[in-house]
Amino acid sequence: MPRVDNPLSPIVAKIEGLHLFHFDMAPCAQRVRFALAEKGLVRGREVRFDADDKEACRGEVGAWTSRIVSLKTKEHLSEAYAKIQPNLVVPALVHDGVLYTESMDIIAYIDKTFGGEPLIPTADADRLKEIHKLTDLGKSLHRSIRFVTFRWGLGRLGKLNSEEEAQLKALVRKGNDGEKLVEFYERYDQNEIEDSIYQGHLDALAEGFALLEAKLEDGRNFITGNTLTMADVIWAMKILRLDECGYPFKKHYPAVYNWFGRIRDRPAFKTGVMAKHQGMNLAFRVKARAENLLGIGLEKAVTRGVHA
Ligand SMILES: N[C@@H](CCC(=O)N[C@@H](CS)C(=O)NCC(=O)O)C(=O)O
């Protein structure tokens, strides 16, 4: 359910206009920022995620207010954020006092509410079915992106210390763990995730990319036709993230690589996704490039899977 009735946080009811709880590096939040930018809504003021005074909570015309919840400093594992998003993940959107969670549901809400070129065009029933099918496939691979990102991108930086892990468990006891964070971190923090698990996620992603490649090979501009849809939005953020981890798209999926080039050139991608993410994007790509050159990177694992 996108709309959350009776949210626990008193901040929600005070908010006017559009406020996005997000993090610049998080693909799930990048998707929403991309969709907002495609609708012509620009990033406005930055306020603390838990600020609840009148000035912080006001709305802005033609813009959304940015409330960064740092995954780096683990603000998503705070009591205040747990009251906004009990699954302890970004993003969350508040529009005129109403809370919405789940990135793809938020995008559907934005599409319905703000008009412009539709991200979910309904005129062609077959195409609509295809958009939903590919979006659902993208959603189902969300955990695979998590595993690959942590293993080949974040490394030690992604780990929780024992205090943070205890805080996560305490919050989950009171609320939810819809994204299975406890199960993940317990094993990741102890280096207990086997190579076969990572390989399974890479294989699942490879299947998805092969499907996209087959579609895009016919020269269409976007995954389901010649206009951008929410299927492009969800898949583009996977490519962005995996590219940062050194995934060899150009070599194995050239049509996907070229399609992503078209997405990257869109003004909404530049402003909505990359504006404040350039530095981290470059840092991760440089690290991944060095690891690939040393033969210890994602490229080797992917190529092993593709030829298996
Ligand atoms: N199904 C959720 C997933 C949200 C999600 O997993 N967000 C990630 C960032 S992309 C997050 O906040 N992770 C917190 C963590 O890894 O500790 C959605 O699509 O909104």
Side-chain angles (χ1 to χ4, degrees):
M1 271 296 287
R3 182 190 163 121
V4 181
D5 292 321
N6 308 316
L8 295 170
S9 172
I11 296 176
V12 172
K14 297 181 185 173
I15 286 179
E16 291 164 12
L18 272 177
H19 289 223
L20 182 66
F21 295 78
H22 70 120
F23 186 56
D24 276 288
M25 259 192 79
C28 312
Q30 289 170 339
R31 298 168 190 169
V32 173
R33 297 203 310 267
F34 187 23
L36 286 165
E38 284 290 342
K39 297 290 171 186
L41 294 158
V42 301
R43 184 171 181 151
R45 297 169 307 142
E46 303 284 335
V47 304
R48 272 189 57 92
F49 87 84
D50 53 357
D52 65 350
D53 57 283
K54 206 168 165 27
E55 168 57 18
C57 291
R58 73 176 164 84
E60 294 173 82
V61 179
W64 51 274
T65 301
S66 164
R67 291 180 176 252
I68 289 178
V69 180
S70 172
L71 301 188
K72 191 164 158 234
T73 60
K74 316 296 178 209
E75 284 180 328
H76 62 308
L77 305 181
S78 60
E79 299 266 355
Y81 190 62
K83 289 188 181 146
I84 293 163
Q85 192 358 326
N87 282 338
L88 311 170
V89 290
V90 291
L93 179 86
V94 177
H95 187 201
D96 287 338
V98 181
L99 172 65
Y100 301 87
T101 57
E102 285 304 320
S103 57
M104 296 316 292
D105 292 337
I106 293 175
I107 289 173
Y109 172 76
I110 291 168
D111 196 44
K112 192 177 76 189
T113 311
F114 294 100
E117 272 296 305
L119 293 169
I120 313 175
T122 52
D124 174 344
D126 287 341
R127 185 173 185 215
L128 182 60
K129 225 163 108 188
E130 184 76 350
I131 292 167
H132 281 296
K133 205 173 113 200
L134 289 166
T135 301
D136 288 345
L137 180 62
K139 283 196 220 172
S140 74
L141 289 168
H142 168 64
R143 266 172 74 74
S144 297
I145 294 291
R146 156 179 281 276
F147 276 74
V148 174
T149 298
F150 275 72
R151 164 69 180 80
W152 282 280
L154 298 171
R156 273 187 300 125
L157 285 180
K159 289 189 175 180
L160 298 185
N161 62 35
S162 50
E163 220 171 278
E164 290 160 347
E165 209 180 291
Q167 169 75 353
L168 166 65
K169 287 179 184 164
L171 289 172
V172 162
R173 267 196 296 278
K174 287 193 217 158
N176 260 312
D177 192 12
E179 297 294 336
K180 297 192 186 148
L181 295 186
V182 171
E183 180 191 307
F184 175 80
Y185 280 115
E186 268 182 345
R187 305 202 61 212
Y188 184 77
D189 293 343
Q190 303 304 323
N191 300 322
E192 276 174 4
I193 301 176
E194 300 93 358
D195 285 349
S196 60
I197 304 268
Y198 289 115
Q199 196 60 53
H201 286 294
L202 286 179
D203 293 347
L205 287 164
E207 251 180 66
F209 296 139
L211 186 75
L212 293 199
E213 182 74 9
K215 289 186 185 301
L216 289 160
E217 262 169 2
D218 69 7
R220 60 182 73 184
N221 278 333
F222 298 100
I223 298 176
T224 64
N226 279 325
T227 58
L228 182 97
T229 72
M230 70 171 171
D232 297 281
V233 173
I234 187 167
W235 281 94
M237 297 317 138
K238 294 192 196 308
I239 315 296
L240 175 65
R241 173 37 65 90
L242 292 182
D243 177 63
E244 287 168 353
C245 297
Y247 198 101
F249 283 108
K250 194 173 180 181
K251 184 161 152 198
H252 297 301
Y253 307 104
V256 170
Y257 176 83
N258 289 335
W259 156 80
F260 183 62
R262 291 192 285 282
I263 301 271
R264 226 178 18 210
D265 287 344
R266 290 181 82 82
F269 189 85
K270 291 183 183 155
T271 56
V273 180
M274 297 305 289
K276 297 205 174 182
H277 179 54
Q278 295 286 5
M280 289 313 280
N281 174 266
L282 182 65
F284 275 102
R285 282 195 297 121
V286 168
K287 170 182 172 285
R289 184 136 199 264
E291 288 173 356
N292 278 343
L293 283 172
L294 293 169
I296 55 166
L298 179 56
E299 181 168 23
K300 196 166 170 194
V302 170
T303 305
R304 205 169 36 224
V306 168
H307 294 304

